[in-house]
Amino acid sequence: MVYLLKYEWHKFIRTKKNWLAFLLILCSFIGYVSFNGYQNHVYKEAKTEQFSKARQNAMYDITNMANYQFLAKKEKDKQYYGNAIEYFKRLYSCANDLYRDYSTSAVSLDDLMQWNDLLIEGKTKKYTIISYTTHSLDYLKKTQKEYRYLKKNHIPIKHSPYVCTTSNLAVNLSNYYLGAVLLILYFLLIFDIFKEFDQGVYKILFTSKYDTLKIILTKVVFSIFLLIGFIGLIVLLFGVNTLIFGMGNTQYSFSVGNHIYMESKILMYIIFITIAMSLFLIGVYTLISCLFKSTTTSLVITITLYLMVNLFSQNLHKINYFIGFLNVDMFSMLQQNKIFTICIMNIVVLIVCVILSILLLKKRDLIVTGD
């Protein structure tokens, strides 16, 4: 099996396409970091504009409520509008503080908590605050729960989710569109694993002194080694990014149901799911390659199947917690404790695909003819 691994390695490093794939990975990462930097600039401008408008709207509402109070006949109405004026004055003051915070990139957790509390109060008292937020009351309460957790545990808040720190990049990388790009790049690396099918010499390989089991297992193991190397390269790139932009805040919290999950734990789960999904796809690619005996056809079918199922996964919600081929909602899986279940299911699928691939390539079906 060692000789077969060496054979796969030499075949891999002598292919120019693989070096091109590595170059694409590097360029993709640089482009990703650059895009994140642009997003950070846009985010800061958008937030500054948001609270600038909030100040203007609050001042308008204060004036408007004062007119209503002046025109009100009943004492009860005068009291209501008086309370509303005090509310919008506090809203104006907080919006002004947040405008200053985002302008100077020094966002205060206390200001954010105060703003969120004011929005909750406005929705509870049924003040007209549509121009300040489109979020539901439940969302605001969930956000406030996260803010309180951060404050209680003395965890610094992230000024922007797009700053090019390693923490922010890693979280944004979990977006399944970016994940699809990475998986496609990875499949470009393992494209030549079954190159023998295209060259027409696979019968010679599969009828050699090595049995089919060893040959298939070698190709699967080498694919897993490439997966480890691929992840190692991504980690190395993130390490370089850390030296340039810093690690960032890895302790940011997410409220899922009645539980708070740290960002570092979410990232750990994302890594588990990524590896599990990759093992699933390695198994599927191996099976399809042995079935169609064409690397190009196998690659196109595997990637197309992956992208199509991701596209329609919303309609397959009853099974998408168990099959890593589908785009799953991380937070839903956390709520239903499906993280390790989906990892085990993907490993089982890999084993089944390998067994089926071996059965498809029995030696009695691979007799070399005289031509």
Side-chain angles (χ1 to χ4, degrees):
M1 193 167 178
V2 174
Y3 176 81
L4 288 172
L5 284 172
K6 287 181 179 178
Y7 162 76
E8 295 293 342
W9 170 248
H10 287 301
K11 185 174 69 174
F12 176 79
I13 61 174
R14 289 174 182 171
T15 306
K16 294 179 181 178
K17 173 197 63 60
N18 294 330
W19 296 105
L20 178 61
F22 276 115
L23 183 62
L24 283 173
I25 293 169
L26 182 60
C27 291
S28 298
F29 188 83
I30 293 172
Y32 173 51
V33 172
S34 302
F35 180 72
N36 239 55
Y38 169 75
Q39 287 286 85
N40 178 53
H41 176 72
V42 172
Y43 177 85
K44 180 180 174 182
E45 285 189 341
K47 281 293 182 180
T48 305
E49 183 180 357
Q50 174 190 343
F51 288 106
S52 175
K53 287 182 178 178
R55 291 188 311 172
Q56 295 171 14
N57 290 334
M59 185 57 66
Y60 171 81
D61 286 328
I62 291 168
T63 305
N64 204 31
M65 291 296 134
N67 291 333
Y68 280 124
Q69 185 185 35
F70 177 77
L71 295 172
K73 303 291 185 182
K74 298 179 181 179
E75 193 61 35
K76 183 176 67 175
D77 292 337
K78 289 181 182 292
Q79 184 64 36
Y80 172 81
Y81 291 122
N83 292 337
I85 289 170
E86 291 304 315
Y87 169 77
F88 284 108
K89 281 182 178 178
R90 285 184 286 134
L91 206 63
Y92 172 86
S93 176
C94 189
N96 190 56
D97 290 340
L98 283 167
Y99 172 78
R100 178 202 61 216
D101 291 348
Y102 279 104
S103 297
T104 59
S105 297
V107 183
S108 165
L109 179 57
D110 288 332
D111 287 343
L112 284 172
M113 290 182 69
Q114 183 186 358
W115 176 256
N116 221 56
D117 268 334
L118 286 169
L119 294 180
I120 291 172
E121 180 185 343
K123 281 187 175 288
T124 304
K125 292 184 177 179
K126 301 191 184 304
Y127 291 138
T128 306
I129 57 169
I130 298 173
S131 59
Y132 300 94
T133 182
T134 56
H135 295 305
S136 66
L137 186 59
D138 288 340
Y139 178 87
L140 294 171
K141 288 180 178 178
K142 177 183 174 182
T143 303
Q144 197 68 350
K145 180 181 177 182
E146 293 174 2
Y147 287 158
R148 289 197 188 102
Y149 187 93
L150 294 175
K151 188 172 179 65
K152 180 181 177 181
N153 292 277
H154 309 288
I155 299 171
I157 192 166
K158 289 194 292 190
H159 302 323
S160 163
Y162 301 106
V163 175
C164 293
T165 60
T166 296
S167 169
N168 285 350
L169 287 178
V171 171
N172 293 332
L173 195 63
S174 65
N175 177 289
Y176 70 93
Y177 292 115
L178 292 168
V181 172
L182 283 179
L183 280 171
I184 289 171
L185 289 173
Y186 169 66
F187 267 86
L188 285 177
L189 291 178
I190 67 169
F191 177 75
D192 294 321
I193 295 294
F194 288 91
K195 192 174 184 178
E196 294 82 8
F197 288 130
D198 290 331
Q199 294 176 337
V201 297
Y202 75 97
K203 287 187 178 182
I204 297 174
L205 177 64
F206 283 93
T207 53
S208 64
K209 63 179 181 178
Y210 301 102
D211 57 41
T212 307
L213 173 63
K214 281 187 178 179
I215 294 172
I216 294 294
L217 280 180
T218 299
K219 291 182 179 296
V220 171
V221 169
F222 189 73
S223 298
I224 294 173
F225 282 162
L226 282 182
L227 173 63
I228 294 170
F230 182 76
I231 293 173
L233 176 62
I234 299 299
V235 170
L236 177 63
L237 291 174
F238 272 103
V240 174
N241 187 82
T242 302
L243 294 175
I244 299 172
F245 298 104
M247 174 59 73
N249 177 16
T250 58
Q251 292 300 304
Y252 196 71
S253 66
F254 293 93
S255 175
V256 182
N258 296 320
H259 300 281
I260 292 284
Y261 291 91
M262 288 294 94
E263 191 172 88
S264 52
K265 193 170 186 178
I266 298 289
L267 288 173
M268 180 182 69
Y269 286 144
I270 288 171
I271 291 171
F272 285 158
I273 293 300
T274 302
I275 293 173
M277 185 180 292
S278 301
L279 292 177
F280 183 100
L281 290 173
I282 287 172
V284 170
Y285 181 66
T286 300
L287 180 59
I288 293 176
S289 295
C290 293
L291 184 62
F292 289 94
K293 297 182 177 60
S294 169
T295 53
T296 304
T297 303
S298 304
L299 183 69
V300 171
I301 290 175
T302 305
I303 292 177
T304 302
L305 196 57
Y306 169 74
L307 295 176
M308 289 299 291
V309 175
N310 264 278
L311 183 63
F312 296 109
S313 62
Q314 297 298 323
N315 301 320
L316 301 170
H317 60 279
K318 291 183 179 179
I319 62 171
N320 68 2
Y321 296 116
F322 300 97
I323 304 178
F325 210 86
L326 305 179
N327 169 39
V328 291
D329 182 352
M330 177 64 65
F331 295 116
S332 294
M333 283 197 298
L334 285 174
Q335 282 182 294
Q336 299 188 29
N337 296 317
K338 302 294 185 184
I339 296 290
F340 293 104
T341 302
I342 192 174
C343 291
I344 293 170
M345 290 299 294
N346 280 286
I347 293 171
V348 170
V349 171
L350 171 66
I351 294 171
V352 170
C353 285
V354 169
I355 293 172
L356 291 175
S357 299
I358 293 167
L359 293 175
L360 281 170
L361 292 170
K362 289 181 179 179
K363 280 203 170 185
R364 65 171 181 267
D365 299 322
L366 296 169
I367 299 172
V368 183
T369 60
D371 41 282

